[in-house]
C-alpha cells in the first residue's frame, strides 16, 4: 500500500484519504486534530467532496480558522448560505461558501501547498474521475463538492465537473505508493445494520452537550419559525419548479407551503439516494485498496446537509480516530513484543 520508512521506528508519517459525506465530513477535522495531538505528521492527503474541502483547507494551513467559522454556524446561518439559482443544472451556486473559503486561502495553487493534495471530481461528459493535483485549489474544491442536481457543476473546457463521490467517494487510490508509514482512510458514508445516532457514539459528556445544543436549536426554531419557513420556501422553490409536482388549484399561500414541503422531501430523497450509492461504492473501493487504519462515520448520525452540527461531528471524528489509533498502537506493541 504505502511505501514504509524502515528507519522510522515510531511510524509517525501518515497519508490521509478523506471521503465524501456532506456535513459528516466535519468529522475529518477531528481526525486530523487527533493525529496532530499524538505527534503524527500528515505527509499527503486525498479527498472527495467534503473530504476534498477539508484536505485543501488543512494543506493551506487554514483548518483552525475554518473550524472556528463552522462551529459558530447555527441553523439559520447555514440557511443564509443557501444561494438559490434558476439554472437547470443545480439548485445552488455555492458562491457564498466559496467566498468564505476564498477569504481563508486566497488564490493558492495546489502545487504550492505545503502538503501534497489530490482532490477528486467526476466529469459527466466523459463519465470518469478527474484528479486535481495542480491548478487552482478553490476550483478543485468547488468541482469536488458539486452534488449533481443540488450544486451547479464546474465547467472546464469540455468537462462538466461534479461531485467526485459519484464515482469515488473514498479516494484511497491516489494514496497508493505515497512514501509514508501508514495510510488512514475516513469513510463518512459508512453503512450500519441499524440506524446509529450521533449522541450514541459520542462520549457521555459530549453527548450531553450535543443534546443540550439540540434543545436550544428547537427553542430558537420555535421563536423564529416564520423566518425559517421563508428560508425553506426560497431554498426549495427552485427544486420544486425543476422536478414538477402540484396541481396549482389550491389557495396560493397554501400551495406555496405544500410545494415547499414536497420539494424539501425530494431534496431529502435525492441526498439519501446519493448517500446510499456512495456508501456501496466506498465499500468496494475499501475492499480493493484496504487502508492500514480505517475510521468509519455511520451515515445515519446526521443528514448530509446538517452543517449546523459541526462541533459535535468534529468531536465524533476525534473520538473515533482515538479508538482506531489506540487499536493500531496496541497491535504494533504486540508485534514488537513478539519479535523480542
Amino acid at each position: 500500500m504505502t511505501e514504509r520508512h524502515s528507519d522510522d521506528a515510531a511510524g509517525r508519517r501518515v497519508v490521509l484519504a478523506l471521503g465524501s459525506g456532506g456535513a459528516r465530513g466535519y468529522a475529518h477535522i477531528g481526525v486530523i486534530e487527533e493525529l496532530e495531538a499524538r505527534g503524527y505528521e500528515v505527509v499527503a492527503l486525498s479527498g472527495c467532496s467534503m473530504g476534498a474541502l477539508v484536505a485543501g483547507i488543512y494543506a493551506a494551513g487554514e483548518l483552525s480558522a475554518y473550524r472556528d467559522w463552522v462551529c459558530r454556524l447555527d441553523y439559520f446561518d447555514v440557511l443564509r448560505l443557501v444561494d438559490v439559482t434558476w439554472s437547470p443544472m443545480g439548485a445552488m451556486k455555492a458562491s457564498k461558501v466559496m467566498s468564505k473559503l476564498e477569504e481563508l486561502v486566497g488564490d493558492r495553487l495546489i502545487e504550492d501547498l505545503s502538503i501534497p493534495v489530490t482532490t477528486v471530481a467526476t466529469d459527466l461528459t466523459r463519465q470518469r474521475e478527474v484528479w486535481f493535483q495542480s491548478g487552482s485549489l478553490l476550483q478543485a474544491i468547488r468541482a469536488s463538492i458539486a452534488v449533481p442536481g443540488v450544486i451547479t457543476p464546474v465547467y472546464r473546457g469540455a468537462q462538466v465537473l461534479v461531485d467526485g463521490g459519484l464515482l469515488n467517494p473514498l479516494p484511497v487510490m491516489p494514496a497508493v505508493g505515497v512514501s509514508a508509514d501508514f495510510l488512514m482512510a475516513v469513510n463518512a458514508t459508512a453503512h450500519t445494520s441499524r440506524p446509529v445516532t450521533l449522541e450514541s457514539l459520542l462520549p457521555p459528556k459530549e453527548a450531553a452537550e450535543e443534546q443540550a445544543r439540540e434543545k436550544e436549536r428547537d427553542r430558537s426554531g420555535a421563536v423564529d419559525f416564520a423566518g425559517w419557513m421563508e428560508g425553506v420556501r426560497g431554498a426549495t422553490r427552485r427544486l420544486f419548479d425543476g422536478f414538477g409536482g402540484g396541481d396549482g388549484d389550491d389557495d396560493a399561500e397554501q400551495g406555496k407551503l405544500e410545494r415547499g414541503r414536497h420539494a424539501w422531501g425530494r431534496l431529502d430523497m435525492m441526498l439519501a439516494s446519493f448517500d446510499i450509492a456512495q456508501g456501496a461504492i466506498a465499500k468496494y473501493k475499501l475492499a480493493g485498496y484496504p487502508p492500514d487504519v480505517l475510521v468509519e462515520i455511520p451515515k445515519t448520525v446526521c443528514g448530509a446537509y446538517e452543517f449546523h452540527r459541526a462541533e459535535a461531528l468534529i468531536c465524533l471524528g476525534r473520538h473515533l480516530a482515538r479508538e482506531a489509533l489506540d487499536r493500531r498502537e496496541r497491535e504494533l506493541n504486540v508485534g514488537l513484543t513478539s519479535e523480542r
Side-chain angles (χ1 to χ4, degrees):
M1 177 70 62
T2 52
E3 183 183 323
R4 311 292 173 172
H5 278 248
S6 59
D7 60 337
D8 187 358
R12 313 311 286 178
R13 294 164 54 86
V14 55
V15 57
L16 269 179
L18 305 178
S20 59
R24 294 185 299 273
Y26 282 143
H28 299 321
I29 300 173
V31 171
I32 292 171
E33 289 179 347
E34 183 62 22
L35 285 167
E36 289 190 329
R38 290 175 180 241
Y40 287 98
E41 179 191 2
V42 178
V43 298
L45 303 105
S46 60
C48 171
S49 197
M50 192 63 177
L53 190 157
V54 172
I57 295 295
Y58 175 66
E62 299 295 341
L63 190 61
S64 178
Y66 177 75
R67 185 198 200 283
D68 290 344
W69 175 58
V70 298
C71 284
R72 291 195 303 268
L73 297 176
D74 62 22
Y75 182 86
F76 300 103
D77 292 327
V78 173
L79 202 58
R80 282 189 282 269
L81 288 171
V82 175
D83 48 357
V84 178
T85 176
W86 299 100
S87 167
M89 296 298 287
M92 291 173 53
K93 296 178 290 185
S95 57
K96 293 181 181 179
V97 173
M98 295 308 299
S99 293
K100 180 60 182 182
L101 297 185
E102 187 173 12
E103 288 179 22
L104 294 176
V105 305
D107 57 355
R108 297 192 203 188
L109 300 177
I110 296 174
E111 59 266 36
D112 293 337
L113 298 174
S114 60
I115 305 172
V117 171
T118 301
T119 72
V120 178
T122 301
D123 180 9
L124 289 180
T125 303
R126 298 187 178 180
Q127 301 178 27
R128 67 184 186 187
E129 292 177 38
V130 175
W131 293 6
F132 285 84
Q133 296 175 318
S134 62
S136 167
L137 175 61
L138 286 176
Q139 185 184 59
I141 292 172
R142 177 61 177 79
S144 193
I145 66 171
V147 179
V150 179
I151 298 177
T152 54
V154 168
Y155 297 91
R156 192 175 70 163
Q159 295 177 325
V160 181
L161 301 172
V162 298
D163 197 315
L166 198 60
L167 291 177
N168 192 355
L170 186 53
V172 176
M173 184 64 179
V176 174
V178 174
S179 179
D181 294 295
F182 67 100
L183 166 63
M184 187 172 187
V186 186
N187 179 14
T189 57
H191 174 74
T192 52
S193 57
R194 62 185 64 184
V196 179
T197 66
L198 177 55
E199 291 80 4
S200 69
L201 289 179
L202 288 169
K205 179 185 175 184
E206 286 78 4
E209 290 173 351
E210 176 60 11
Q211 288 172 344
R213 284 191 292 266
E214 281 291 280
K215 289 180 181 178
E216 181 60 32
R217 290 178 196 125
D218 290 342
R219 284 194 292 271
S220 299
V223 170
D224 193 21
F225 180 81
W228 178 86
M229 180 52 84
E230 282 301 317
V232 171
R233 283 185 208 160
T236 58
R237 192 171 296 122
R238 162 67 188 91
L239 288 172
F240 170 76
D241 288 345
F243 296 133
D247 10 358
D249 296 331
D250 297 335
D251 172 77
E253 183 62 22
Q254 183 62 30
K256 287 179 183 177
L257 291 173
E258 288 301 316
R259 288 197 294 271
R261 290 191 189 108
H262 292 161
W264 197 250
R266 288 188 181 93
L267 177 61
D268 287 337
M269 185 168 63
M270 178 187 296
L271 292 174
S273 300
F274 197 51
D275 260 354
I276 292 169
Q278 288 182 103
I281 296 169
K283 186 176 179 180
Y284 286 112
K285 293 287 184 182
L286 288 168
Y289 300 97
D292 302 297
V293 179
L294 176 63
V295 175
E296 295 202 290
I297 315 297
K299 59 182 173 230
T300 58
V301 297
C302 75
Y305 50 84
E306 292 186 70
F307 289 99
H308 57 289
R309 306 185 74 181
E311 194 166 345
L313 288 161
I314 292 169
C315 179
L316 176 64
R318 185 156 189 174
H319 173 63
L320 295 179
R322 186 180 302 124
E323 292 183 337
L325 291 167
D326 282 347
R327 286 193 297 270
R328 177 180 183 270
E329 289 171 5
R330 284 195 299 269
E331 291 168 0
L332 288 176
N333 288 334
V334 169
L336 288 172
T337 302
S338 63
E339 289 175 3
R340 290 173 183 168

